[in-house]
Amino acid sequence: MALDRKSAPNDLNAFWMPFTANRQFKKAPRMFVAAKDMHYTTADGRQVLDGTAGLWCCNAGHCRPKITEAIQKQAAELDYAPAFQMGHPIAFELANRIIDIAPAGMEHVFYTNSGSESVETALKIAIAYHRARGEGARTRLIGRERGYHGVNFGGISVGGIVTNRKVFGPLLAGVDHLPHTHQPALNAFTKGQPEHGANLADELERIVALHGAETIAAVIVEPMSGSTGVLLPPKGYLEKLRAITKKHGILLIFDEVITGFGRLGSAFAAQHYGVVPDMMTTAKGLTNGVIPMGAVITSAEVHDAFMAGPEHLIELFHGYTYSGNPIASAAGIATLETYKEEGLFERAAELAPYWQDALHSLRGLPHVIDIRNEGLIGAVELEPIAGEPTKRAFTAFLNAYEKGILIRTTGDIIAMSPPLIISKAEIDELIGKLAEVLKALA
Ligand SMILES: Cc1ncc(COP(=O)(O)O)c(C=O)c1O
């Protein structure tokens, strides 16, 4: 039967695009129609070098055969199995493989479908964990200014990006925030972790003194904040957070949605920085961005607190229809195998110094007020146009796209996080073209 369409099938009006300037986009659409390895193909047939791994997620590059084949095979074999009270082997196999590469002590995996859901899951587990242990008053959640933890109510409540919070009402009660760690006056143009700012973790002691440790369930931070514009943890900062949370019986959650799966040159930022939290939230690189899937990874202690009471009872009243979906699980296994076979985490670590040098070669170009980097991630912060914040970086983004490179902007910060398969020549191309864009900016 013919569909009753009121408009042409390619009318752009119906799709309300996420985190997009819809009216601007629809006047001059930027459409990708294909992708392979390091490149996208646009609707008008141009090749665009992917400087952002999609949205920080396609760590192995695009349309990798092993992942594609795994998805195709799984879709034909077991498309779906109920996620509650039933299982299928591949979800268990993937969980084991995640644990294999996670820091020692992280032993259990709870599946979600996105970073936002991983965050909600971890926050709920944190509160329920304390209650299960008889500390039901521990319900407060501590986030950080400028933190990004997805877009659901828990995530925006502990998050600290004002535009993501201010129009959505009062949010979760009982939330407080650490100060952010961005101190350009002290740390601008630092390569890797900044020297100054470990003391900002001591603010947690102030928050504990204000609320009482016995009311606080968890602290959640991105070990390295990506979406707010690549803010690195000052030297010693994460260690202090770990020590203070431990001292007060507060769980520490690392949101590793961006940093997980090799971005910094180790499987997780926890290993890169040598600080192990109680829970880690992940998504994105878990399936190379190809199929929606996330996972919360917990310590044995967190998990085991729930494994009490009669065995026929559900221990945690939480989960999603698609938790551990078979096709997503198959994509996850193939993704982790691709990372391993191609040594991509090690490759990121090896390329990091070259990436750092290339990125910092942009210092001195017009409007550049800071450059930051770690692993295969980097940011170039621009001086905003007076009275028109975000416009300068957005113009750079549009011009970069015309030049054949994909970058990302947040505020007036340009962020880049290429697939870990990027070559040195492609780093030169990405940074070279960005330099041309920056030189031409008003
Ligand atoms: C640290 C962090 N947490 C959570 C999320 C949300 O993930 P999703 O968009 O898959 O919900 C993101 C997305 O960029 C992220 O960077």
Side-chain angles (χ1 to χ4, degrees):
M1 203 176 81
L3 289 175
D4 178 19
R5 290 191 193 281
K6 293 201 186 75
S7 53
N10 61 352
D11 188 321
L12 303 186
N13 204 31
F15 177 19
W16 187 351
M17 298 171 71
F19 276 119
T20 296
N22 274 256
R23 289 158 301 160
Q24 191 278 345
F25 180 93
K26 289 168 189 179
K27 276 187 192 143
R30 301 173 292 279
M31 299 280 204
F32 289 139
V33 293
K36 185 69 193 139
D37 298 331
M38 280 300 301
H39 290 89
Y40 281 108
T41 306
T42 64
D44 54 354
R46 292 188 304 120
Q47 292 289 292
V48 173
L49 181 64
D50 184 2
T52 58
L55 267 181
W56 331 79
C57 49
C58 307
N59 291 358
H62 295 277
C63 290
R64 301 306 311 276
K66 186 161 200 155
I67 304 170
T68 309
E69 282 158 23
I71 291 168
Q72 288 169 334
K73 184 163 167 282
Q74 191 56 47
E77 200 171 287
L78 174 67
D79 54 351
Y80 179 80
F84 308 161
Q85 304 285 20
M86 294 299 295
H88 62 85
I90 25 190
F92 291 92
E93 184 181 340
L94 175 59
N96 283 303
R97 294 198 188 203
I98 294 171
I99 293 310
D100 275 352
I101 59 168
M106 303 303 274
E107 292 184 14
H108 300 276
V109 172
F110 196 103
Y111 290 117
T112 70
N113 306 291
S114 66
S116 298
E117 288 181 358
S118 290
V119 167
E120 303 303 300
T121 299
L123 297 178
K124 286 175 73 178
I125 289 177
I127 293 171
Y129 160 81
H130 290 294
R131 188 183 159 106
R133 293 166 57 255
E135 288 196 74
R138 284 191 185 263
T139 57
R140 284 188 187 279
L141 301 166
I142 312 300
R144 190 168 59 190
E145 294 165 0
R146 296 193 65 161
Y148 184 66
H149 301 292
V151 291
N152 294 343
F153 271 109
I156 60 173
S157 300
V158 293
I161 298 182
V162 63
T163 44
N164 295 359
R165 293 162 52 87
K166 68 180 178 188
V167 302
F168 301 112
L171 311 184
L172 272 192
V175 171
D176 210 338
H177 290 79
L178 288 160
H180 66 73
T181 61
H182 190 37
Q183 302 191 98
L186 296 173
N187 293 321
F189 298 103
T190 299
K191 297 175 175 170
Q193 285 186 271
E195 291 296 330
H196 306 283
N199 58 311
L200 294 166
D202 295 330
E203 287 293 305
L204 184 56
E205 287 285 15
R206 182 186 60 75
I207 291 172
V208 168
L210 176 67
H211 299 296
E214 70 281 7
T215 71
I216 301 176
V219 170
I220 181 166
V221 292
E222 301 156 275
M224 186 241 35
S225 304
S227 297
T228 190
V230 183
L231 306 184
L232 298 164
K235 287 181 185 162
Y237 176 89
L238 294 174
E239 291 85 342
K240 273 189 174 223
L241 271 193
R242 177 68 283 188
I244 299 169
T245 47
K246 212 169 231 163
K247 177 174 140 198
H248 294 292
I250 299 167
L251 294 179
L252 180 60
I253 305 168
F254 277 178
D255 187 343
E256 296 239 20
V257 168
I258 284 179
T259 51
F261 307 103
R263 178 54 52 200
L264 302 184
S266 302
F268 296 97
Q271 292 133 331
H272 182 73
Y273 292 123
V275 177
V276 180
D278 301 292
M279 280 191 266
M280 305 195 302
T281 52
T282 71
K284 295 192 189 273
L286 170 57
T287 56
N288 203 36
V290 177
I291 298 257
M293 184 179 228
V296 177
I297 311 173
T298 80
S299 68
E301 194 187 329
V302 167
H303 166 269
D304 293 352
F306 290 88
M307 300 301 137
E311 288 198 2
H312 70 284
L313 290 185
I314 291 168
E315 295 101 356
L316 179 65
F317 283 85
H318 179 77
Y320 301 97
T321 298
Y322 307 111
S323 286
N325 171 279
I327 301 173
S329 299
I333 292 170
T335 298
L336 297 191
E337 282 177 357
T338 302
Y339 293 150
K340 191 170 178 181
E341 284 165 13
E342 299 182 11
L344 292 185
F345 302 168
E346 296 77 12
R347 183 186 166 84
E350 279 160 27
L351 276 176
Y354 192 86
W355 170 251
Q356 172 172 284
D357 288 348
L359 207 62
H360 282 266
S361 72
L362 300 172
R363 187 172 182 171
L365 292 186
H367 316 298
V368 173
I369 55 173
D370 191 13
I371 295 175
R372 306 180 281 277
N373 70 284
E374 184 89 307
L376 276 191
I377 199 163
V380 179
E381 183 153 0
L382 304 180
E383 175 88 49
I385 298 173
E388 291 183 297
T390 76
K391 196 170 174 191
R392 182 167 274 143
F394 189 60
T395 306
F397 162 75
L398 295 176
N399 295 348
Y401 175 72
E402 289 307 319
K403 272 204 186 306
I405 55 168
L406 183 66
I407 59 174
R408 241 190 95 57
T409 66
T410 174
D412 274 292
I413 301 166
I414 294 168
M416 287 170 291
S417 53
L420 313 180
I421 58 168
I422 194 169
S423 67
K424 286 184 177 173
E426 286 161 337
I427 292 177
D428 293 345
E429 182 188 342
L430 180 64
I431 302 297
K433 287 188 173 166
L434 180 58
E436 290 170 25
V437 168
L438 294 177
K439 282 178 198 158
L441 276 184

